[in-house]
Amino acid sequence: MAALQFNLQTTDTLSKARAGVITTDHGTIETPIFMPVGTVGTVKAVTQQQLKQEVNAQIILGNTYHLYLRPGLKILEAAGGLHQFNGWDRPILTDSGGYQVFSLANNRKIKEEGVVFQSHIDGSKHLFTPENVMDTQRIIGGDIIMAFDECPPYPSDFKYAKNSMELTHRWLDRCINHFNNTTDKYGYTQNLFPIVQGSTYKDLRTESAYYIASKNATGNAIGGLSVGEPTEVMYEYTALCCDILPEQKPRYLMGVGTPWNILENIALGVDMFDCVMPTRNGRNAMLFTSKGIINIDNKKWENDFSVIDDGIDCPMSNYYSKSYLRHLMKAKEYLGLTIASVHNLAFYLWLVKQARAQILAGTFTSWKNEMVVRLQTKL
Amino acid sequence: MAALQFNLQTTDTLSKARAGVITTDHGTIETPIFMPVGTVGTVKAVTQQQLKQEVNAQIILGNTYHLYLRPGLKILEAAGGLHQFNGWDRPILTDSGGYQVFSLANNRKIKEEGVVFQSHIDGSKHLFTPENVMDTQRIIGGDIIMAFDECPPYPSDFKYAKNSMELTHRWLDRCINHFNNTTDKYGYTQNLFPIVQGSTYKDLRTESAYYIASKNATGNAIGGLSVGEPTEVMYEYTALCCDILPEQKPRYLMGVGTPWNILENIALGVDMFDCVMPTRNGRNAMLFTSKGIINIDNKKWENDFSVIDDGIDCPMSNYYSKSYLRHLMKAKEYLGLTIASVHNLAFYLWLVKQARAQILAGTFTSWKNEMVVRLQTKL
């Protein structure tokens, strides 16, 4: 089996958008790509069958923090890793757990060694270090695993941001060292992606991007954005990072975002995205469609028997009506959560597939400019 | 389009079990059959696609009380009936709403005219009469609709049971009269099934069964059982009713039951069943399998990576492991509810399909006696 490869096919002439193909031991991923988030080993309310047949997901995420606590490493290892455990046989990316641990706010303490935190489930104390987070992700068995980083809040003052970035860099070196001294557990290759930090300071971001680029990883990530900063600031720092990170490696912008955020970041040179938005917002009655945004709780959909979205290629989005989905959501039926989640994810996957086709056809920028307006329309 | 037909294919020689085929304008149903309950227009946590591809459901139920309140008749009529509304294009049976209304206990009042009750959603007052319940079921559009009856509690004293049965019979005549004076709304034929009542009194049950049989309906139902009486009493009264109800019409035992209840009642001559048990118990971690009962919350399944049930033909039951399903249930993930519900329903449909094959092969009784023991085994 072989390390992750990235075949860059085309770069747009009017923007920095790229189309490529990532190859992993669990199959290929056509970029740009959106990765559904499977927090606790499941994309919430969606079956693995639906992820393939309805959503066309090519890769999904697992969250190290959640999986470490439940079902725990013993079970995941006995199962033969997350792919075997949940029956998802395409690529998986796991985060490092850092982001979740820092979100615990008062229940965690950052030290040079790592982070001590309390479980949100039973209050038990745990320590995450760069080394044991590599071990944990080895056991979970993601095809792509992430370095243990600190994601500073927005805004952070310069001193905090600088110290945090330097800690992230030291942790990265420990991650790489430990990763290189350990081996793949299940017969396929795991790949470590480092993460650019540096908050919203140009010199820190620049320094961090160069530092990450120097590690010559098979792919690189941009963290610490989409954490509350204005959208224009996010775009500014994504652009800065993309211009420094190596062209021949995939670039992953973590935790982004709305459909229009994704299109704008594709234009800046990002290849990979993940976000809980399609599933979380779906469960709260917000639908993203090819024609704009729908609040399906709104009374205007009560008698609208047209299908959810005939503009995309998802069978379920072309099967169930807006009126039926509204009824299910009002009646708090589980099926409503499933249909809304499947639809929103299918829409995200449809969107990046269209973006890729437009890049390959050389028509991305004009299409993107039109879509960014259309997708934000409130229907 | 044509009224419901029942083609009785075989009757077992050692029991009264029958195999037949029901034909409706939405397709055929092979009996004996189990009908998943789709309370508010959805079988809880299961998609219509899963009902076809995983469960092999041939007919589902809708609950008149729930559908009348939400989404309401205006929307159902505008949609063109429940089939159009929820996208289920195979047969649908609707109950009369009687059972739910009587379950409201203190929030309803029974009169000769009908029942006044308060909505469990907003406390609003409503009146169900035999006539308007026919109108409501005409609008919902079930292929099979049920007479408006009173289901007396168990135990009921003789006087209450007799009065209740007589009221049910008077209501039945009003139902039939109104049904015959109204027409199918959506271009396919609806069929009215009357319901035997009479609590657990032999003379009342006998009188009611003869009364119902005399109406020459396309099918007949047995109500008022599985409401708390001992299992042997249920079997005794099912047998009594089956022996009186016409042989050439399908017999529907309402609200039953466990897998072994279903097998024993098939042996007594019942053709159709419905129950919330597979979905409700599934959501509470209880799995019915071809090898016995599993409480998937039990720690013994934590490291059991075998599939949920390799003894049945459901793809999902043969895909996900017990360990994974246990994890999902412990983590309170929606996917756990879906997998457990799909599995349990698929098991019920598998069971009645096996029963049918055994009846046709002339081997039903010995198979049934073995299965009744095996299915109750606690694994």
Side-chain angles (χ1 to χ4, degrees):
Chain A
M1 311 300 269
L4 181 148
Q5 298 202 327
F6 181 57
N7 172 25
L8 180 59
Q9 296 172 287
T10 315
T11 301
D12 187 38
T13 47
L14 297 172
S15 76
K16 294 182 177 168
R18 305 124 56 89
V21 177
I22 295 171
T23 304
T24 76
D25 285 345
H26 278 100
T28 58
I29 302 155
E30 298 190 320
T31 64
I33 191 66
F34 178 81
M35 305 182 283
V37 179
T39 313
V40 201
T42 155
V43 176
K44 285 191 191 299
V46 181
T47 68
Q48 276 66 297
Q49 287 77 7
Q50 288 163 341
L51 283 175
K52 285 192 176 179
Q53 293 157 16
E54 305 280 339
V55 173
N56 288 316
Q58 298 183 42
I59 172 173
I60 63 171
L61 248 74
N63 285 122
T64 288
Y65 167 78
H66 290 287
L67 291 166
Y68 163 85
L69 292 178
R70 214 163 38 187
L73 300 184
K74 236 176 88 180
I75 292 172
L76 285 166
E77 185 161 24
L82 183 56
H83 289 90
Q84 294 294 323
F85 185 63
N86 72 0
W88 177 254
D89 58 8
R90 295 183 184 174
I92 291 175
L93 182 151
T94 53
D95 68 5
S96 69
Y99 186 83
Q100 266 82 22
V101 166
F102 294 110
S103 311
L104 296 172
N106 294 327
N107 292 323
R108 46 82 174 166
K109 195 172 175 187
I110 307 173
K111 302 186 289 189
E112 183 65 31
E113 184 193 8
V115 182
V116 176
F117 63 94
Q118 282 189 289
S119 159
H120 74 286
I121 300 169
D122 61 7
S124 55
K125 279 207 172 173
H126 303 267
L127 169 69
F128 272 4
T129 68
E131 290 80 11
N132 73 20
V133 161
M134 291 298 101
D135 293 335
T136 295
Q137 290 186 90
R138 286 287 199 195
I139 290 169
I140 298 173
D143 300 272
I144 301 172
I145 72 176
M146 301 303 298
F148 192 60
D149 63 333
E150 189 198 347
C151 178
Y154 177 86
S156 289
D157 66 35
F158 183 81
K159 195 178 160 194
Y160 186 95
K162 186 171 193 299
N163 286 339
S164 168
M165 180 199 74
E166 287 168 351
L167 180 68
T168 286
H169 290 179
R170 289 193 299 276
W171 282 357
L172 173 60
D173 290 341
R174 287 167 57 190
C175 283
I176 292 172
N177 191 45
H178 197 73
F179 178 77
N180 289 337
N181 287 328
T182 51
T183 53
D184 306 322
K185 286 192 71 68
Y186 307 115
Y188 53 84
T189 306
Q190 297 188 281
N191 301 276
L192 174 61
F193 280 22
I195 304 171
V196 178
Q197 287 291 352
S199 189
T200 48
Y201 297 98
K202 280 187 194 166
D203 43 1
L204 297 182
R205 278 278 166 189
T206 303
E207 180 185 343
S208 186
Y210 276 112
Y211 192 79
I212 268 54
S214 76
K215 299 299 171 183
N216 199 27
T218 51
N220 299 291
I222 303 164
L225 294 176
S226 198
V227 291
E229 76 283 5
T231 308
E232 291 311 316
V233 173
M234 169 176 61
Y235 295 153
E236 181 188 349
Y237 283 90
T238 302
L240 184 157
C241 294
C242 284
D243 288 349
I244 296 169
L245 292 173
E247 191 193 9
Q248 298 296 330
K249 304 288 175 66
R251 301 174 189 137
Y252 163 31
L253 179 58
M254 303 180 79
V256 173
T258 61
W260 43 98
N261 285 166
I262 286 176
L263 292 184
E264 294 293 7
N265 284 303
I266 287 173
L268 300 172
V270 174
D271 306 298
M272 302 166 72
F273 300 88
D274 80 284
C275 193
V276 294
M277 191 173 275
T279 40
R280 182 176 291 167
N281 290 25
R283 293 197 304 279
N284 288 301
M286 181 181 181
L287 305 180
F288 298 101
T289 81
S290 61
K291 295 164 187 72
I293 296 168
I294 287 177
N295 176 353
I296 200 69
D297 268 348
N298 197 306
K299 198 169 168 63
K300 72 185 287 188
W301 308 112
E302 197 176 31
N303 273 289
D304 189 327
F305 301 108
S306 63
V307 298
I308 296 165
D309 190 356
D310 63 6
I312 72 168
D313 52 3
C314 170
M316 272 171 67
S317 309
N318 284 277
Y319 191 83
Y320 294 109
S321 72
K322 298 179 181 80
S323 171
Y324 183 56
L325 180 53
R326 178 180 189 275
H327 161 64
L328 295 174
M329 298 302 271
K330 297 300 276 186
K332 303 201 186 305
E333 282 289 339
Y334 299 114
L335 182 55
L337 308 181
T338 292
I339 295 175
S341 299
V342 166
H343 164 72
N344 274 353
L345 287 174
F347 169 74
Y348 268 65
L349 268 294
W350 171 86
L351 186 65
V352 293
K353 190 178 169 189
Q354 298 307 306
R356 178 178 159 81
Q358 298 285 341
I359 295 165
L360 290 170
T363 51
F364 173 76
T365 300
S366 60
W367 171 83
K368 183 267 290 178
N369 289 339
E370 195 190 313
M371 289 299 277
V372 159
V373 177
R374 190 199 303 170
L375 300 182
Q376 296 187 63
T377 313
K378 292 213 167 98
L379 299 178
Chain B
M1 311 300 268
L4 181 148
Q5 297 201 329
F6 181 57
N7 173 25
L8 180 60
Q9 296 172 287
T10 314
T11 300
D12 187 36
T13 46
L14 297 172
S15 76
K16 294 183 176 166
R18 305 123 56 87
V21 178
I22 295 171
T23 304
T24 76
D25 285 346
H26 279 101
T28 58
I29 304 154
E30 297 190 321
T31 63
I33 191 69
F34 178 80
M35 306 181 283
V37 179
T39 314
V40 201
T42 156
V43 175
K44 285 192 192 299
V46 181
T47 68
Q48 276 67 297
Q49 287 78 9
Q50 288 162 341
L51 283 176
K52 286 191 177 180
Q53 294 157 16
E54 306 278 340
V55 172
N56 287 318
Q58 298 183 43
I59 172 172
I60 63 171
L61 249 74
N63 285 122
T64 289
Y65 167 78
H66 289 287
L67 291 165
Y68 163 85
L69 291 177
R70 212 160 44 184
L73 300 184
K74 236 176 87 181
I75 291 172
L76 285 166
E77 186 161 23
L82 182 57
H83 289 89
Q84 294 294 320
F85 185 62
N86 73 358
W88 177 256
D89 57 10
R90 295 182 184 175
I92 291 176
L93 182 152
T94 53
D95 68 4
S96 70
Y99 186 82
Q100 267 82 22
V101 166
F102 294 111
S103 312
L104 296 172
N106 295 327
N107 292 321
R108 47 80 174 169
K109 195 173 175 189
I110 308 173
K111 301 187 290 188
E112 184 66 30
E113 184 192 8
V115 182
V116 177
F117 64 94
Q118 280 189 291
S119 158
H120 73 286
I121 301 169
D122 61 7
S124 56
K125 280 206 172 173
H126 303 266
L127 169 69
F128 272 4
T129 68
E131 290 79 12
N132 74 20
V133 161
M134 291 298 101
D135 292 335
T136 295
Q137 291 186 89
R138 285 289 197 193
I139 291 169
I140 298 172
D143 299 272
I144 301 171
I145 72 175
M146 301 305 296
F148 191 60
D149 64 333
E150 190 198 346
C151 178
Y154 177 86
S156 289
D157 63 37
F158 184 80
K159 195 178 160 194
Y160 186 95
K162 185 172 194 298
N163 286 339
S164 169
M165 180 198 75
E166 288 168 351
L167 180 68
T168 285
H169 291 178
R170 289 193 300 277
W171 282 357
L172 173 59
D173 291 341
R174 287 167 57 190
C175 282
I176 292 173
N177 191 44
H178 196 74
F179 179 76
N180 289 336
N181 287 326
T182 52
T183 54
D184 305 321
K185 286 191 71 69
Y186 307 116
Y188 53 86
T189 306
Q190 296 187 282
N191 302 276
L192 174 61
F193 279 22
I195 305 171
V196 178
Q197 288 291 351
S199 189
T200 49
Y201 296 99
K202 279 186 193 168
D203 44 359
L204 297 182
R205 277 279 166 190
T206 303
E207 179 184 345
S208 187
Y210 276 112
Y211 193 78
I212 268 54
S214 76
K215 298 300 170 183
N216 200 27
T218 52
N220 299 291
I222 303 164
L225 292 176
S226 198
V227 292
E229 77 283 3
T231 308
E232 292 311 316
V233 173
M234 170 176 63
Y235 296 153
E236 180 188 350
Y237 283 91
T238 301
L240 185 157
C241 293
C242 285
D243 287 349
I244 297 170
L245 292 173
E247 190 192 9
Q248 298 296 328
K249 304 290 175 64
R251 300 174 190 135
Y252 163 30
L253 179 58
M254 303 182 78
V256 174
T258 61
W260 42 99
N261 285 166
I262 286 176
L263 292 184
E264 295 293 6
N265 283 302
I266 288 173
L268 300 172
V270 174
D271 308 296
M272 304 166 69
F273 299 89
D274 79 284
C275 194
V276 295
M277 191 173 274
T279 41
R280 182 177 293 166
N281 290 27
R283 295 197 303 276
N284 288 302
M286 181 182 180
L287 305 181
F288 299 100
T289 81
S290 61
K291 296 164 187 73
I293 297 168
I294 287 176
N295 177 353
I296 200 69
D297 268 347
N298 197 307
K299 197 168 169 64
K300 72 185 285 187
W301 308 112
E302 197 175 32
N303 273 290
D304 189 327
F305 301 108
S306 64
V307 298
I308 295 166
D309 190 357
D310 63 5
I312 71 168
D313 52 1
C314 170
M316 272 170 67
S317 309
N318 284 276
Y319 190 84
Y320 296 108
S321 71
K322 298 179 182 79
S323 172
Y324 182 56
L325 180 54
R326 178 180 190 274
H327 160 66
L328 295 174
M329 298 302 272
K330 298 300 277 186
K332 301 198 186 310
E333 282 288 338
Y334 298 115
L335 182 55
L337 309 181
T338 292
I339 294 174
S341 299
V342 166
H343 163 74
N344 275 353
L345 287 174
F347 168 75
Y348 268 65
L349 269 293
W350 170 86
L351 185 65
V352 294
K353 191 178 169 188
Q354 298 308 307
R356 179 180 158 79
Q358 298 285 342
I359 295 166
L360 290 171
T363 51
F364 174 75
T365 299
S366 59
W367 171 83
K368 183 265 291 178
N369 289 338
E370 192 190 316
M371 289 299 277
V372 159
V373 176
R374 190 198 304 171
L375 300 182
Q376 297 185 62
T377 313
K378 292 215 167 99
L379 299 179

